Amino acid sequence: MESSIVMTGLTNVFTLYNIAAILGGTLLGLFVGAMPGLSATMALALLLPLTFSMDTATGLSMLASLYVGASYGGSIAAILLRTPGTPSAAATVLDGFPMSQQGQAGKALGISLFASFVGGLISGVALLIAAPLLGSLVVQFGPIELFAIAVLGITIIGSLAQGSVINGLFSGGVGLLVSTVGMDLTTGTPRMTFDNINLFSGISFTVALIGLFSIPQALSLVENSNAPAKVASRITDRLIPKLAELKSLMPNILRSSGIGIVVGLIPGTGGDTASWFAYNEAKRFAKDKSRFGQGDPAGVAAPESANNAVVGGALIPTIALGIPGSSATAILLGALMVQGILPGPNLLTDYGDVTYTLIWAVIFANIGLLVVGLMFTKASVMVTRIPDGFIACAIIALCIIGAYAINNSLFEVGLMLGFGLFGYWLNKAGVSPAPMVIGLILGPVMENGFHQSMLIGDGDYRIFLSSPIAVVLLCLAVFSVLQATPVFRWLLAPFRRGTQLA
Amino acid sequence: MNTNRLLLGLFGIALAALFFVNALKYPQAAAEMPLIYSVTVALLSLAMVASELLRRRPASDAAAAPAAEDGEPVAIRPRYLATAAVFALAIAYVATINTLGYLASTVLFMAAALLVIRTVSVRFALIATVVLVAVVCVVFVQFLGLPVPLLPPAIS
């Protein structure tokens, strides 16, 4: 590990302006996460155009802190309204809401805050240690391995996304297809541009991102705007938990943080998977399992530490391999792309200073979360009272100005609305838009890797079998698809029968 | 059967066909990836259509269903008409930014959309819209220097 680059990243973040950006981003994330129906991804997508004019370190600090803040903010609505603010806070409802009904809303929120802080901090440190180690392994990768990594990235995300493997891969495939729009860099041929000059430079990743993640949420809020408003529970007790309580919860928090990091490492899985996994493990390890679901603090600490630990975990493959672990990390990768940094294993070598800035921003964002959380958690209850109808209209207005800010082009605003409508359709069909966004990012990486490999191999497709690493990665890609199909269950059936008989 | 997924599968086939036919006109190096991707998307779309047609029991739309209260499902009628109207208003909003200016078009969009939704009180809508427009102007116009026309061309 180049200690000078690590220190450069630290000094980039550790300025008064950037610390203010971290606190501001965390507060914004806290409020967005607390609003039911709004996700961290949507907030990140909306904030991304704002960071264009910012200094790299400031922009990354703000985005990372918003992501961290929203991961905790989701628990506020889960505990007080019985509605998870973000999907990853769904498991927190089980014990968080019963605690608030018992007059322990402050205690539940305090445990959630401290668990989120510990989980996030541990994952940030894990990111600081693991990403360079993994990065040093992949630094020698050539175009063949890069192509294989991109294929693995898209198949693993497609296979693990919500719904069936076909739906996930379809979404990823459409993303790859859309990534080919624009001028081909090898031959200079305009592809799928319909002689429209606005399409010659391709479809901006940010435009697609804002449309796919923000407009569908706004339309869903309008669709369900006649639902009765929920009344938030009051916070009558203290927010800061007792030291003895935290001490007794620490083994659970540490275990759940580990689960969050490992789950985050797997591209395609997210905070929701990690929080349910951690909740189940906390229940399994508990002496008195009957208290779970009745307001056990361990049932709040486990999912909250796990979903915040996912942040650092998901950034490990993003930084080391250039494969975004989730839609939110895809946006953070997009923020790097805005700064002219191309995704890939060279993130840690060629752009080490910027990458370490992001890593340190994640660590500082968790410290900022503790400060902001203690100061503003009670105030964030107010944002849960904003009517859904107004939030929906405000999101659309912000999407439009945000998309316009990218290139000052109304054509791109129209394109964003088109992506928004498509994203709404995907939601209705139960297809996740996340693989599509990842496909848009990995498309050019895959195409460049493919062309360069074919040049090396003199047009022979067997070139992809010449590298043992590429073969392993491609086998893993095939496995990731097969494991989600009936073929895999059919292959495993004899072994299962054998186990049952034994 | 999820009709939306079935239609999405058919759309995927049409999209793949469009990309495939266009790619046939490109030089070989430019056509390779669009051809590979379009064939992959077409096959996945076909699989999606086939799986929907073969599905006998109706697809559960649990993810889209409203949250349950006390274990009982809450019967909320989705407001599809209002959703379509708000989206149409968003298109009109984009179309009028250059003519009416950003301020007037934003206020008109917010007023019309909130009128369609009808769940927000007039006082809240007025105050919140003013705050929203002010924040957007400060952040995007003052801070980012976005060259968006704030007023109609005749006045500015």
Side-chain angles (χ1 to χ4, degrees), chain A residues 162-168 170 425-426 428-431, chain B residues 1-11 13 43-61:
Chain A
Q162 83 182 66
S164 76
V165 63
I166 296 170
N167 297 349
F170 167 83
W425 190 7
L426 288 178
K428 288 283 158 201
V431 177
Chain B
M1 191 172 73
N2 185 327
T3 317
N4 278 304
R5 203 175 298 152
L6 183 73
L7 291 172
L8 191 66
L10 294 172
F11 171 78
I13 295 169
L43 289 173
L44 288 164
S45 305
L46 271 174
M48 198 187 251
V49 171
S51 70
E52 283 309 311
L53 290 175
L54 289 171
R55 190 167 291 175
R56 287 182 184 169
R57 60 190 170 84
S60 64
D61 276 344

Side-chain angles (χ1 to χ4, degrees), chain A residues 101-459:
Chain A
Q101 280 190 315
Q102 293 157 16
Q104 294 181 319
K107 183 181 171 182
L109 287 167
I111 288 170
S112 164
L113 177 62
F114 277 89
S116 299
F117 163 68
V118 175
L121 199 63
I122 291 174
S123 81
V125 174
L127 172 67
L128 189 65
I129 297 166
L133 288 177
L134 194 58
S136 62
L137 288 176
V138 298
V139 79
Q140 301 300 325
F141 279 17
I144 303 167
E145 290 83 7
L146 282 179
F147 172 78
I149 281 183
V151 172
L152 175 64
I154 203 76
T155 55
I156 206 165
I157 289 158
S159 327
L160 294 172
Q162 83 182 66
S164 76
V165 63
I166 296 170
N167 297 349
L169 291 176
F170 167 83
S171 177
V174 172
L176 289 173
L177 210 51
V178 174
S179 77
T180 63
V181 173
M183 193 83 84
D184 173 47
L185 294 178
T186 320
T187 60
T189 313
R191 298 186 296 194
M192 289 300 287
T193 54
F194 305 104
D195 293 330
N196 188 329
I197 195 92
N198 293 299
L199 287 172
F200 273 50
S201 55
I203 291 173
S204 166
F205 154 78
T206 323
V207 166
L209 204 78
I210 296 173
L212 284 169
F213 287 111
S214 305
I215 295 289
Q217 285 201 2
L219 296 180
S220 293
L221 286 174
V222 176
E223 196 184 306
N224 300 311
S225 57
N226 54 352
K230 290 196 170 186
V231 181
S233 306
R234 291 174 71 114
I235 306 172
T236 50
D237 57 332
R238 54 182 261 155
L239 198 69
I240 302 171
K242 288 176 185 152
L243 199 65
E245 276 173 344
L246 280 179
K247 210 173 157 185
S248 66
L249 287 170
M250 206 41 89
N252 177 14
I253 291 174
L254 293 176
R255 180 181 55 244
S256 304
S257 303
I259 290 171
I261 294 167
V262 173
V263 171
L265 269 169
I266 306 164
T269 53
D272 44 350
T273 313
S275 55
W276 284 112
F277 189 0
Y279 183 85
N280 285 336
E281 286 306 298
K283 196 173 175 181
R284 202 162 67 86
F285 276 89
K287 283 175 189 157
D288 183 7
K289 293 179 179 56
S290 65
R291 287 178 58 211
F292 274 77
Q294 311 292 321
D296 192 327
V300 175
E304 283 307 308
S305 48
N307 67 34
N308 269 59
V310 162
V311 176
L315 275 168
I316 294 173
T318 311
I319 287 172
L321 305 172
I323 299 175
S326 63
S327 44
T329 48
I331 300 173
L332 290 175
L333 194 64
L336 292 172
M337 288 163 73
V338 167
Q339 305 293 336
I341 296 167
L342 293 173
N346 54 351
L347 276 177
L348 275 162
T349 49
D350 297 357
Y351 313 106
D353 53 340
V354 180
T355 310
Y356 276 104
T357 304
L358 175 62
I359 295 175
W360 280 111
V362 171
I363 294 172
F364 277 96
N366 281 289
I367 299 166
L369 171 69
L370 190 63
V371 178
V372 170
L374 285 172
M375 288 167 72
F376 292 100
T377 293
K378 287 190 177 178
S380 65
V381 178
M382 283 166 65
V383 300
T384 63
R385 294 181 193 143
I386 301 175
D388 284 355
F390 180 79
I391 295 173
C393 298
I395 289 173
I396 293 173
L398 288 172
C399 283
I400 287 170
I401 193 75
Y404 185 78
I406 299 167
N407 285 320
N408 304 337
S409 158
L410 279 177
F411 175 81
E412 291 200 335
V413 179
L415 209 56
M416 181 277 295
L417 286 177
F419 273 108
L421 196 62
F422 188 64
Y424 182 68
W425 190 7
L426 288 178
N427 280 356
K428 288 283 158 201
V431 177
S432 168
M436 186 173 166
V437 170
I438 314 276
L440 265 167
I441 295 176
L442 293 180
V445 177
M446 200 186 280
E447 187 163 7
N448 286 340
F450 180 82
H451 281 313
Q452 287 174 10
S453 305
M454 292 303 277
L455 279 173
I456 296 167
D458 230 3

Side-chain angles (χ1 to χ4, degrees), chain B residues 111-151:
Chain B
L114 290 171
L115 205 67
V116 169
I117 295 169
R118 283 179 182 275
T119 55
V120 184
S121 70
V122 176
R123 198 175 66 162
F124 184 90
L126 273 173
I127 297 168
T129 303
V130 170
V131 171
L132 177 78
V133 173
V135 167
V136 167
C137 285
V138 168
V139 174
F140 285 93
V141 182
Q142 290 295 317
F143 177 60
L144 290 182
L146 196 67
V148 62
L150 286 177
L151 299 167

Side-chain angles (χ1 to χ4, degrees), chain B residues 71-87:
Chain B
E72 289 174 17
V74 181
I76 302 164
R77 276 186 70 186
R79 302 179 66 194
Y80 292 123
L81 207 62
T83 311
V86 169
F87 190 77

Side-chain angles (χ1 to χ4, degrees), chain A residues 66-82:
Chain A
L66 187 138
Y67 184 17
V68 169
S71 295
Y72 160 67
S75 73
I76 298 172
I79 290 165
L80 301 178
L81 288 169
R82 205 192 180 189

